[in-house]
Amino acid sequence: MTNFIRKTKPPMWFWIISLISLLWNGMGVFQYLQQAYNTENFRVMYTDEQLSMIANTPSWAIAAFAIAVFGGLLGTFALLLRKKYARPLFLVSLIGIIVQMVYNLFISNAMEVYGPGAIAMPIMVLVFGMILIWFSKKSIGKGWIS
């Protein structure tokens, strides 16, 4: 006898949230790649002081950035494929977010270089990461992903 895991058809808003997650995490990966390859488009968005701070970011903080964005994108793909391993991928992403934000807010001088706006985006990223973990857990519980 074969055991089948029954999936429940997810509601339309599951797909809407999943697509928003794809856009959000896709933008994060794009930002990471621009920074990693130091593209012209990336450099024109920042002042010399900001570029200097970015260039002097330690490798562990850059690695946390990569883990955050690629973990989020992989989690989103898992969500779209309706796989429950989306949740641990989002958790790995959240850990990357937290490590990166600790560096940006408490170790670097980001507040001095970017001003008060330096805290708005990190909070948004952190909240979105937490929402995706909650959403994937809810999706597992409802049988939308398995």
Side-chain angles (χ1 to χ4, degrees), residues 8-118:
T8 304
K9 183 178 178 182
M12 180 58 74
W13 62 270
F14 170 90
W15 299 109
I16 293 169
I17 291 174
S18 297
L19 289 175
I20 291 169
S21 177
L22 181 63
L23 289 171
W24 175 262
N25 286 295
M27 288 187 307
V29 167
F30 182 70
Q31 181 65 24
Y32 172 81
L33 292 174
Q34 280 195 339
Q35 180 176 326
Y37 289 103
N38 198 22
T39 65
E40 180 65 30
N41 286 339
F42 175 77
R43 289 191 304 270
V44 298
M45 293 188 300
Y46 299 98
T47 67
D48 289 339
E49 186 180 19
Q50 292 167 337
L51 288 171
S52 175
M53 188 184 93
I54 293 166
N56 292 311
T57 301
S59 57
W60 61 267
I62 295 169
F65 184 17
I67 289 167
V69 298
F70 286 104
L73 187 62
L74 289 173
T76 299
F77 288 148
L79 199 61
L80 289 166
L81 293 171
R82 298 179 60 195
K83 301 295 181 184
K84 69 179 176 183
Y85 55 82
R87 187 167 184 257
L89 287 167
F90 285 135
L91 184 58
V92 167
S93 176
L94 183 64
I95 291 167
I97 291 167
I98 291 168
V99 170
Q100 180 190 14
M101 296 310 149
V102 165
Y103 172 76
N104 287 338
L105 296 176
F106 302 111
I107 299 172
S108 74
N109 61 342
M111 293 291 282
E112 295 169 20
V113 174
Y114 291 100

